Amino acid sequence: IERFDQILSSFLDQSKGLYNRPLEIEHAVQKLIKQLNHLNASCRDELIDAYRREKLMNLFEEAGKLLIFDGIKGTVNEHRKW
């Protein structure tokens, strides 16, 4: 759980400087999802269940709105394994 929080916090901190920069945002989202995929796999795919997936998607969609990046949901869905 601690590593999960670190990954999300790092993404949120990094994203503050990416306002309205879609290529950089997409790259940051891909990196985030890769890290979450790895972490979830190391937890036997039990860390991110349906409830957490829904909450994460809500968080990502809100971040996308703030960053003016409409494609965040598609990017997440394309790369996630949970």
Side-chain angles (χ1 to χ4, degrees):
I1 298 294
E2 185 176 316
R3 180 69 182 133
F4 184 80
D5 287 342
Q6 289 172 344
I7 291 169
L8 288 178
S9 293
S10 177
F11 169 74
L12 294 173
D13 288 343
Q14 178 187 9
S15 67
K16 292 176 186 175
L18 300 178
Y19 175 78
N20 204 20
R21 293 169 49 193
L23 289 176
E24 290 91 343
I25 295 167
E26 184 168 3
H27 178 71
V29 171
Q30 289 173 358
K31 179 181 173 184
L32 166 69
I33 299 306
K34 183 178 179 180
Q35 291 174 326
L36 290 176
N37 285 342
H38 179 74
L39 182 62
N40 192 51
S42 72
C43 296
R44 293 177 278 178
D45 294 325
E46 294 179 1
L47 179 65
I48 303 174
D49 57 12
Y51 174 79
R52 286 183 185 85
R53 180 176 59 239
E54 183 179 324
K55 295 299 180 187
L56 281 171
M57 292 305 293
N58 289 339
L59 173 69
F60 298 149
E61 288 176 356
E62 288 301 314
K65 289 177 190 175
L66 293 173
L67 297 170
I68 308 179
F69 181 64
D70 293 329
I72 198 163
K73 186 175 181 179
T75 300
V76 170
N77 283 330
E78 181 179 338
H79 296 281
R80 72 176 176 84
K81 295 180 181 178
W82 29 267

